[in-house]
Amino acid sequence: MDREKAMSSEEKPAEVSETKQAGEATGRWIWVERAVWTDRMLEALETGVKGGVWFSLMDKVYARRNLKAAFAKVRANQGAAGVDHVTVKHFEERVEGELEGLHTDLKQGSYRPQRIRRVYIDKPGRKQQRPLGIPTVRDRVVQTALRNVLEPIFEHRFAENSYGFRPKRSQHQAVARAQEYIAEGYRMVVDLDLEKFFDRVNHDRLMSRLGTHIRDKRVLKLIGRFLRSGVMIGGLCEATKEGTPQGGPLSPLLSNIVLDELDKELEKRGLQFVRFADDCVIYVKSKRAGDRVKESITRFISRKLKLKVNEAKSGVIQPGYSKY
């Protein structure tokens, strides 16, 4: 059967807009994946969709061109094999069949992520190690396809002073912003360290934040499966009831979605801050103000976000001793 005829009517409208997807994005959307985001969708981002809610996104996740673009990114990043021992090279050798299989499984709702291989790597300059999760190549492709679809929706809403794991943003920009605060007279900083953040992200809170703007139940269900896929450590399997393991392509975006709630709270209180991933520094003008802010924000993080501030690594200090 001819491939064009074999495609479902659900996919054909996406093919019609191919000419728009071939055009170059401009301005701040230059970085979006054009295999997914049409000019019309980008316009909707700028003007705002009704109710700020997006429906019917799953067809964009499993679209063949998105899966192909996702694999190109996975191939560029390389990385080790997951629990199935399939390397990027081995996946590439049969890439057409692999991507077609992913397309079918995702479309039918039968896709199941595999467990994440957990390894521990040294922290630079420290004796401690941090956990790193290595999804299979197949799962990395699907996570990347999800990120291609979801990232612009949330990036549009993220706080200006959030710099980690975001397109066209860097730690250098975070440092420059911090220096501006110091020049403006903010002589003390509240330096907050979130204890084992990536291991302790509350799944219910995360899914609630996702559901605020994503109403495609198939997409939410798929993300939930990734969160609960479990890890394998030295041949032993463990369930994952909380956390977003570092190492997966989707984890950085999910972490920013969680911590955007903190950013919005800081903005609501009129506080000056810089956040880079799970490192947050708040700039104040006195030690007394810093103590007060530290206490109240620590309480917010614990009660609202269900996370824990590492008291031993947090404090109110002079800017020269902070992270930024």
Side-chain angles (χ1 to χ4, degrees), residues 32-36 61 63-76 95 99 140-141 144-145 148:
V32 303
E33 178 50 65
R34 295 297 278 181
V36 176
V61 175
R64 291 178 176 89
R65 61 181 173 274
N66 184 28
L67 293 173
K68 184 176 180 180
F71 173 67
K73 293 179 180 179
V74 171
R75 179 178 55 196
V95 66
L99 295 184
R140 298 208 294 271
V141 171
T144 302
N148 286 347

Side-chain angles (χ1 to χ4, degrees), residues 198-212:
F198 287 93
D199 294 331
R200 290 180 172 170
V201 167
N202 183 278
H203 288 176
D204 290 339
R205 292 295 307 168
L206 171 55
M207 295 306 296
S208 176
R209 296 294 290 177
L210 284 164
T212 302

Side-chain angles (χ1 to χ4, degrees), residues 84-100:
D84 61 357
H85 306 295
V86 175
T87 64
V88 173
K89 181 180 179 180
H90 292 153
F91 188 97
E92 186 173 17
E93 289 172 353
R94 50 178 188 268
V95 66
E96 293 297 330
E98 290 282 5
L99 295 184
E100 190 61 29

Side-chain angles (χ1 to χ4, degrees), residues 9 11 162 184 204 240 323:
S9 60
E11 289 186 88
S162 164
E184 291 169 6
D204 290 339
T240 46
K323 298 181 181 72

Side-chain angles (χ1 to χ4, degrees), residues 50-262:
K50 186 177 180 179
V53 177
W54 291 76
F55 298 88
S56 302
L57 294 173
M58 192 62 189
D59 60 318
K60 295 170 180 59
V61 175
Y62 64 65
R64 291 178 176 89
R65 61 181 173 274
N66 184 28
L67 293 173
K68 184 176 180 180
F71 173 67
K73 293 179 180 179
V74 171
R75 179 178 55 196
N77 291 331
Q78 287 297 311
V83 296
D84 61 357
H85 306 295
V86 175
T87 64
V88 173
K89 181 180 179 180
H90 292 153
F91 188 97
E92 186 173 17
E93 289 172 353
R94 50 178 188 268
V95 66
E96 293 297 330
E98 290 282 5
L99 295 184
E100 190 61 29
L102 289 177
H103 167 81
T104 300
D105 290 347
L106 289 167
K107 185 175 181 179
Q108 295 177 347
S110 59
Y111 185 82
R112 296 293 185 278
Q114 293 182 267
R115 289 184 176 87
I116 293 172
R117 183 163 70 90
R118 173 68 62 83
V119 297
Y120 291 88
I121 61 175
D122 294 332
K123 290 185 177 182
R126 302 182 186 179
K127 294 182 179 180
Q128 302 101 322
Q129 292 185 315
R130 67 179 178 90
L132 181 69
I134 305 177
T136 64
V137 176
R138 294 181 83 246
D139 288 342
R140 298 208 294 271
V141 171
V142 175
Q143 286 191 35
T144 302
L146 272 167
R147 182 168 181 167
N148 286 347
V149 173
L150 298 179
E151 188 167 35
I153 295 173
F154 289 94
E155 175 63 26
H156 184 59
R157 302 172 182 278
F158 285 157
E160 182 64 28
N161 287 354
S162 164
Y163 294 91
F165 303 136
R166 294 182 61 186
K168 305 299 181 181
R169 286 173 172 258
S170 67
Q171 193 165 17
H172 292 296
Q173 292 173 320
V175 171
R177 189 70 185 101
Q179 291 174 339
E180 289 176 5
Y181 285 138
I182 295 171
E184 291 169 6
Y186 293 92
R187 303 298 184 183
M188 300 296 293
V189 298
V190 181
D191 197 343
L192 297 175
D193 183 275
L194 299 181
E195 188 173 294
K196 297 182 179 179
F197 167 74
F198 287 93
D199 294 331
R200 290 180 172 170
V201 167
N202 183 278
H203 288 176
D204 290 339
R205 292 295 307 168
L206 171 55
M207 295 306 296
S208 176
R209 296 294 290 177
L210 284 164
T212 302
H213 300 294
I214 306 299
R215 295 292 171 82
D216 189 326
K217 293 182 179 179
R218 296 170 299 171
V219 168
L220 295 175
K221 188 174 184 178
L222 179 59
I223 294 173
R225 285 175 177 170
F226 273 114
L227 292 175
R228 299 187 300 272
S229 62
V231 298
M232 181 174 287
I233 308 173
L236 299 177
C237 299
E238 290 186 6
T240 46
K241 297 181 180 179
E242 59 182 4
T244 58
Q246 287 178 277
L250 192 59
S251 184
L253 174 61
L254 296 182
S255 68
N256 271 332
I257 291 172
V258 170
L259 292 175
D260 185 60
E261 192 168 2
L262 171 60

